[in-house]
Amino acid sequence: MLVMTPGEQGPQAAKSRVNEQEEAARLLGAELFWGGFQDGVIPDGSRCVQAVESVIAATRADIIYTHSPNDTHQDHRSVAAASLAAARRATRVLTYEAPSSRGFVPQMFLDVEGFVEQKLELIRAHESQVLKNRLVDLEAVAAQARYRGFQGRVHYAEAFEIERFVWDLSAGAIVAPAAEVLLEGVV
């Protein structure tokens, strides 16, 4: 998991945003990498692309998840552009929806029945964003999972826009349990 900034410009709570991210990564069981960029001014261009490329290489990620390019937050747009450039040789690249996404049109739905409460717990780890400043509404997140589930014809779903997605039938990607597919090689 790559986090590009320490979030120093955003609201802070009792724990720093760095500590919140470390806690979320621990709960998720993900290895955490830091991009080292200043919050609010992630640059466009090669430095950002190289930061993403280095984590893709270090983790040998086979599925790349990044922000949707259609986002109102400038850092999210910069990260999306850098990630898509860095993943130019990857065969599976998905963009996800954030509360600041606009015009998000999903083409892929992952059944997350049984994982919604876990997702909410992971989001709660970001106390400054959720509990203190209400930048993320947990009820809206749950409702969105239900709505995306309805769209995907399951109860709850996580939705993605597909930049590129090649199924490797020899690797058993279609029959692997959803949690393994979602968590394998996350960047």
Side-chain angles (χ1 to χ4, degrees):
M1 187 163 63
L2 172 60
V3 178
M4 298 297 271
T5 80
E8 71 274 12
Q9 298 299 317
Q12 303 295 312
K15 295 191 295 185
S16 74
R17 301 264 310 268
V18 170
N19 291 342
E20 290 173 352
Q21 190 59 55
E22 289 171 345
E23 175 66 6
R26 186 190 67 73
L27 291 170
L28 188 58
E31 186 174 1
L32 181 59
F33 296 86
W34 291 98
F37 294 97
Q38 184 181 352
D39 190 21
V41 291
I42 293 178
D44 292 328
S46 64
R47 278 190 7 178
C48 196
V49 173
Q50 288 170 355
V52 178
E53 283 176 333
S54 70
V55 173
I56 291 172
T59 62
R60 296 185 2 219
D62 62 345
I63 302 175
I64 312 301
Y65 300 93
T66 191
H67 289 281
S68 172
N70 299 315
D71 200 292
T72 60
H73 194 292
Q74 69 277 7
D75 282 350
H76 296 179
R77 288 191 310 272
S78 293
V79 170
S83 298
L84 295 176
R88 63 194 169 277
R89 292 180 185 88
T91 59
R92 293 187 279 182
V93 182
L94 301 172
T95 66
Y96 55 82
E97 186 172 23
S100 51
S101 297
R102 295 291 178 260
F104 188 82
V105 182
Q107 301 94 20
M108 180 181 209
F109 300 89
L110 178 64
D111 186 343
V112 294
E113 180 78 36
F115 293 97
V116 175
E117 191 53 45
Q118 180 183 8
K119 177 179 178 173
L120 296 175
E121 283 301 314
L122 290 166
I123 293 171
R124 281 185 192 99
H126 298 277
E127 181 181 330
S128 67
Q129 305 295 292
V130 180
L131 303 176
K132 182 179 178 193
N133 294 295
R134 300 181 193 267
L135 294 174
V136 177
D137 182 321
L138 294 175
E139 288 180 20
V141 171
Q144 183 177 47
R146 179 65 190 105
Y147 174 66
R148 295 303 187 195
F150 173 76
Q151 287 182 310
R153 305 303 186 250
V154 296
H155 195 75
Y156 290 104
E158 192 76 25
F160 299 95
E161 292 174 326
I162 299 172
E163 176 67 23
R164 187 171 35 265
F165 198 90
V166 176
W167 273 346
D168 180 357
L169 296 178
S170 66
I174 293 176
V175 297
E180 288 180 18
V181 173
L182 178 62
L183 301 178
E184 180 183 30
V186 174
V187 172

